[in-house]
Amino acid sequence: MNKKDAPFRPELVAQLCVEYWKLAAATEKALSVVLASDGKRLVAQLKFSKRQLDVLLQDLGLRLVDFSGERFHPGLAVSVDNPGDFEEDEALVVGKTIEPTVMSDMTVIRLGRVIVAPVKQEEE
């Protein structure tokens, strides 16, 4: 069987999307320190590329889910990189998404990876 006849494998597309997402996030961070003259053009190019990724994912029936800032619960489609840092009954939020979750409708294609943090109590 040659590569043209290879079956479509959503998990490979999911891996590619996650890698692109991480590259885009790192590029966004780097652009925040670039000189203003080059920065605007590069930021626009990055925004365009991210929109293109969203369009391609939609055409494939996939979406990337970034849970940053959401309240964490065991049913969230993520694996936690720092689970031992907190008590089991402690209220937590997703402090940072390391890798987004890749979904197809309501089916998880690839679990995301996150770091959780305690819920900040508002001062009275």
Side-chain angles (χ1 to χ4, degrees), residues 18-71:
V18 167
E19 294 304 324
Y20 180 89
W21 182 91
K22 291 191 300 186
L23 177 63
T27 302
E28 217 168 346
K29 189 174 184 177
L31 286 176
S32 68
V33 296
V34 171
L35 296 174
S37 61
D38 288 335
K40 288 180 183 178
R41 180 181 57 79
L42 294 172
V43 166
Q45 186 175 3
L46 180 60
K47 284 182 183 178
F48 176 78
S49 292
K50 288 169 84 174
R51 280 193 308 270
Q52 289 299 102
L53 177 64
D54 288 340
V55 167
L56 294 169
L57 285 170
Q58 186 175 1
D59 287 349
L60 291 168
L62 300 173
R63 64 188 165 92
L64 299 178
V65 183
D66 180 338
F67 290 105
S68 294
E70 292 194 30
R71 195 173 277 272

Side-chain angles (χ1 to χ4, degrees), residues 1-9:
M1 175 187 317
N2 66 36
K3 289 184 181 182
K4 285 176 76 176
D5 297 328
F8 176 72
R9 295 183 42 207

